[in-house]
Amino acid sequence: MHNDKFKVEKVVVNGKEEIRLTGVIDEDTDFGTLEKSSGPLYLNLSGITGINSLGIRGWVNFWKAHTDKPVFYVECPPVIVRQMSMIPSFCGHGNVVSVYAPYICNNCEAEQLVLVGSDELASNPPKVTESFSCTKCNSGEMELDGSPRQYFAFKK
Ligand SMILES: [Zn+2]
């Protein structure tokens, strides 16, 4: 059965090949395409919009069966970061390269994602911007939605 909720495509970002995953990870997700690629996998997860409990199980089992492949998780969105922080086995043997941190305006509740790269992730808890001015209402401050310790709990 064709599954158009989930897409796997090869992209080149700054001269480096990445596999971009887009959509929802659930019981229908077929990780077969990832199996075929050789060498280290740079998985860009920025397009993942959701994952359910069966998707999580499939994901964890897939990486358990492919521990021989070096894996790097790039641009992980909050929906993935929250799983990483709640489920210790979620990352498998993979390395987290960069994640998106969700910021929310304390005045107008506008939301914005800020990319946290490997330099910031090198410290624990990561050095993230505490707050910055909201460009939408021009009077509020954008703050991290939640506690940094909780959000970045995937860092052991
Ligand atoms: Zn605002």
Side-chain angles (χ1 to χ4, degrees), residues 10 16-19 33-43 62-63 66-73 93-95:
K10 235 175 230 180
K16 199 151 66 180
E17 198 173 272
E18 292 183 358
I19 308 284
T33 324
L34 301 177
E35 220 158 329
K36 283 177 218 124
S37 60
S38 57
L41 270 181
Y42 284 86
L43 284 188
F62 179 80
W63 295 118
H66 295 87
T67 50
D68 53 324
K69 212 173 279 192
V71 186
F72 299 89
Y73 302 120
H93 61 293
N95 305 287

Side-chain angles (χ1 to χ4, degrees), residues 1-155:
M1 199 172 65
H2 181 66
N3 174 12
D4 52 10
K5 290 182 290 190
F6 180 72
K7 224 168 60 185
V8 177
E9 55 190 339
K10 235 175 230 180
V11 291
V12 176
V13 182
N14 300 325
K16 199 151 66 180
E17 198 173 272
E18 292 183 358
I19 308 284
R20 180 168 289 170
L21 307 186
T22 317
V24 176
I25 298 174
D26 62 13
E27 58 276 20
D28 296 328
T29 301
D30 175 13
F31 297 104
T33 324
L34 301 177
E35 220 158 329
K36 283 177 218 124
S37 60
S38 57
L41 270 181
Y42 284 86
L43 284 188
N44 188 309
L45 305 176
S46 60
I48 296 296
T49 52
I51 182 165
N52 70 7
S53 56
L54 289 168
I56 291 166
R57 193 188 296 172
W59 175 273
V60 170
N61 287 341
F62 179 80
W63 295 118
K64 267 189 197 152
H66 295 87
T67 50
D68 53 324
K69 212 173 279 192
V71 186
F72 299 89
Y73 302 120
V74 184
E75 293 187 29
C76 307
V79 66
I80 291 292
V81 176
R82 292 197 174 106
Q83 302 307 333
M84 287 175 169
S85 286
M86 269 188 308
I87 306 165
S89 60
F90 190 86
C91 289
H93 61 293
N95 305 287
V96 181
V97 177
S98 55
V99 304
Y100 280 105
Y103 282 74
I104 189 157
C105 175
N106 60 11
N107 179 50
C108 73
E109 292 185 359
E111 290 168 41
Q112 198 181 323
L113 295 178
V114 174
L115 192 63
V116 180
S118 47
D119 289 352
E120 291 114 309
L121 286 178
S123 31
N124 193 11
K127 286 192 190 79
V128 291
T129 315
E130 246 169 63
S131 66
F132 53 96
S133 320
C134 175
T135 51
K136 208 165 184 185
C137 64
N138 285 317
S139 62
E141 286 286 310
M142 305 289 294
E143 291 167 346
L144 185 70
D145 187 8
S147 97
R149 274 207 186 273
Q150 208 169 358
Y151 190 71
F152 296 105
F154 66 86
K155 295 196 41 82

